[in-house]
Amino acid sequence: MTQRPATIKGEATKARIVSAYAALIVSRGLAATTLDDIRAATGTSKSQLFHYFPGGKEELLMAVARFEADRAMDQMRARVPSLSSWAGWSQWREQLLGEYDRHGRDCPLGILIIEIDRASSGARALVTELTEQLQRMIQTGIENMQADGSVRADLDARRCARSLSAGIHGASALMLTTGSTAYLADVIDTAVEHLRSGIPLSADL
Amino acid sequence: MTQRPATIKGEATKARIVSAYAALIVSRGLAATTLDDIRAATGTSKSQLFHYFPGGKEELLMAVARFEADRAMDQMRARVPSLSSWAGWSQWREQLLGEYDRHGRDCPLGILIIEIDRASSGARALVTELTEQLQRMIQTGIENMQADGSVRADLDARRCARSLSAGIHGASALMLTTGSTAYLADVIDTAVEHLRSGIPLSADL
C-alpha cells in the first residue's frame, strides 16, 4: 500500500473541489450536478479532476460525504458539554430541528448517505462512525447527569444512548422520505421523558 | 386514467414473476440477479416481461418491494393483539430479532428500501405507509395497556409509538450497515423500559 505523498497545493485543490461539489449539491440538487459543473465552479480541467479523484463521481461523492460528516462531527463535539443538563438537551433539540427545517430534503449529509453506494465499505464505515460518535456524545451527557443526580443511576446510559442514536438515524431517514421533522421531535422528546421520568420525588420512596 | 382490465391469468403471471424475483434476491443477491435469471426462473419471454412491467427493472423492484411490504404488514397485523401485554411485547421482540438474525443483510425488504430509487414517489409512499402501519400497531397496543393500567395513562401513546417506529427504522438501517441486531434490541428494550417505568408502585403515591 504505497501512496504518493500529497503536496500542500494538491490537497488544497482537492479540498476546493470537494467543498464546491457540496455547495452545488445543496444549491441545485445532486441529480442536476454534473462533473462539468464542478469543473466550471473550481476552474479545474477534466484531467485534473480525474488526477485527484481517479474513481470518478463515486469517489467524489464519498469525499463529499466524508467532508460533510467531519463538519457534522465538529458541530456535535462542540455541543457535548450541553448534553449534561436539561437546558442543554432542549437547546440541542432546537438546534437539530432547526437545521433539519432549514435543510429539509436538501440536507447534504442525508442525501449522500442515501445516494452513495451503501454497500461500499467506505459508506459503511462512515455511517458506523457517525452513529458511534453520536452515541458516545449522548452517553457522556447521560453519564454526567447520572453523576449529578439528574438522571436515575440505574438506567443503562449506553443502551439509552444507542437507542436514541438509532432513533435519530431513523427519524432523519423518515424526514428525507416524508419531508417532516415530526418524527425527530418525537424521538428526542420520548428519550427525554424516559430519562426524566425515572427520578423519584424523594430518593427514599 | 384508463387502465386495461387485468386478466386473472395476467395477474397470476405478474405475481409469479414478482415472487420469483424476490426469491432470487434472497438466494443470490440483488446485484447478481439479471432479467434473464428472472425469465429463466419463470419461463417467461423478454416481451412478456416487458408487457407486464413496461418500466423494466425499476418497476419490477417497486413491485417486489410492495410484495415484501404486504407480507411484512400481514405478519405485523397478525401480531397486533400481542402488543397489548408485556408477554406479547417480549414475544414480538424475540420474533423481530430472530427474523433479522435469520435474514441479516439479505433482508429483502431492507435491501429494496435501500436499493429502489428513494426519491421516487412510489418508494416514498411505501416507506411512509409501512412506518405508519407499524406506528398504529404499536399505538393500539400501548392504548390497550393504558386501558388496563399496565402503562401510565398520562404517556402520549402516539408519540411513544412514533418514536419507537423511527427507532426500528433506524435500527434496521444500521443492521444492514453494521450487520448487527444490537441496535434493534436496544431500541425495543429502551421503549419497554420507558413504558414500564412510569407505573408507580401504588396509584396513591
Side-chain angles (χ1 to χ4, degrees):
Chain A
M1 300 266 290
T2 56
Q3 212 172 349
R4 195 171 30 190
T7 65
I8 292 172
K9 186 155 173 274
E11 283 307 302
T13 307
K14 277 185 84 165
R16 201 156 48 83
I17 294 168
V18 168
S19 69
Y21 192 10
L24 283 167
I25 291 172
V26 174
S27 64
R28 65 175 76 173
L30 182 65
T33 305
T34 65
L35 290 182
D36 284 342
D37 296 328
I38 303 167
R39 286 179 39 227
T42 54
T44 45
S45 67
K46 208 164 185 167
S47 67
Q48 261 181 309
L49 210 56
F50 280 97
H51 168 74
Y52 290 119
F53 300 96
K57 199 161 181 175
E58 184 66 28
E59 188 181 350
L60 254 164
L61 276 178
M62 250 331 281
V64 176
R66 164 63 56 191
F67 170 81
E68 292 289 349
D70 286 344
R71 190 149 72 174
M73 288 298 163
D74 286 344
Q75 285 181 356
M76 279 207 276
R77 263 186 292 269
R79 279 182 210 145
V80 173
S82 72
L83 288 191
S84 302
S85 73
W86 293 127
W89 275 77
S90 105
Q91 200 187 346
W92 178 59
R93 177 191 190 278
E94 296 316 308
Q95 280 177 330
L96 210 54
L97 289 177
E99 268 162 39
Y100 276 110
D101 275 333
R102 254 193 317 283
H103 286 308
R105 283 188 182 143
D106 299 320
C107 163
L109 189 56
I111 293 169
L112 287 161
I113 284 180
I114 285 176
E115 290 289 339
I116 50 179
D117 179 8
R118 288 178 158 237
S120 76
S121 59
R124 279 192 175 152
L126 187 67
V127 171
T128 304
E129 191 189 318
L130 267 166
T131 310
E132 282 172 1
Q133 292 218 28
L134 179 62
Q135 177 212 314
R136 272 198 295 275
M137 181 190 87
I138 297 167
Q139 185 177 338
T140 303
I142 296 175
E143 284 168 351
N144 288 343
M145 292 181 74
Q146 285 181 315
D148 75 15
S150 311
V151 170
R152 214 173 60 191
D154 67 333
L155 283 189
D156 185 331
R158 183 166 178 272
R159 194 169 73 181
C160 291
R162 285 170 59 89
S163 170
L164 179 51
S165 309
I168 290 174
H169 193 79
S172 308
L174 289 170
M175 194 268 299
L176 291 171
T177 308
T178 63
S180 156
T181 56
Y183 277 102
L184 189 62
D186 288 338
V187 160
I188 298 176
D189 292 344
T190 304
V192 168
E193 184 174 64
H194 178 221
L195 293 171
R196 291 194 90 132
S197 72
I199 292 291
L201 291 174
S202 149
D204 299 316
L205 266 182
Chain B
M1 298 268 289
T2 57
Q3 213 174 350
R4 196 170 32 191
T7 64
I8 292 172
K9 187 157 173 272
E11 284 306 302
T13 308
K14 277 185 83 166
R16 200 156 49 82
I17 293 169
V18 169
S19 70
Y21 192 10
L24 283 167
I25 291 172
V26 173
S27 64
R28 66 176 75 172
L30 182 65
T33 305
T34 65
L35 290 182
D36 284 342
D37 295 329
I38 302 167
R39 286 178 39 225
T42 54
T44 45
S45 68
K46 208 164 184 167
S47 67
Q48 262 181 308
L49 210 57
F50 281 97
H51 168 73
Y52 290 119
F53 300 95
K57 199 161 181 174
E58 185 66 27
E59 189 182 350
L60 254 165
L61 276 178
M62 254 324 285
V64 176
R66 165 64 55 191
F67 170 81
E68 293 289 350
D70 286 344
R71 189 149 72 175
M73 287 299 162
D74 286 344
Q75 285 180 355
M76 280 206 277
R77 265 187 291 270
R79 278 181 212 146
V80 173
S82 71
L83 288 192
S84 302
S85 73
W86 293 126
W89 275 77
S90 105
Q91 200 188 346
W92 178 58
R93 176 190 190 279
E94 295 316 307
Q95 280 177 332
L96 211 54
L97 289 176
E99 268 163 40
Y100 276 109
D101 276 333
R102 254 194 318 283
H103 285 307
R105 284 189 182 143
D106 299 320
C107 164
L109 189 56
I111 294 170
L112 288 161
I113 284 180
I114 285 176
E115 292 288 338
I116 50 180
D117 179 8
R118 289 177 157 235
S120 75
S121 59
R124 279 191 176 153
L126 186 67
V127 171
T128 305
E129 190 189 319
L130 267 166
T131 310
E132 283 173 0
Q133 291 218 29
L134 179 62
Q135 178 211 313
R136 273 198 293 276
M137 180 189 88
I138 296 167
Q139 186 177 337
T140 304
I142 296 175
E143 285 167 351
N144 288 342
M145 294 181 73
Q146 286 181 314
D148 76 13
S150 311
V151 170
R152 214 173 60 189
D154 67 334
L155 283 188
D156 185 332
R158 182 165 179 271
R159 194 169 75 183
C160 291
R162 284 170 60 89
S163 170
L164 180 51
S165 309
I168 290 174
H169 193 79
S172 307
L174 289 170
M175 194 268 300
L176 291 170
T177 308
T178 63
S180 156
T181 56
Y183 277 101
L184 189 62
D186 287 338
V187 161
I188 298 176
D189 291 345
T190 304
V192 168
E193 186 174 62
H194 178 220
L195 293 171
R196 292 194 89 134
S197 71
I199 291 293
L201 292 173
S202 150
D204 300 314
L205 265 186

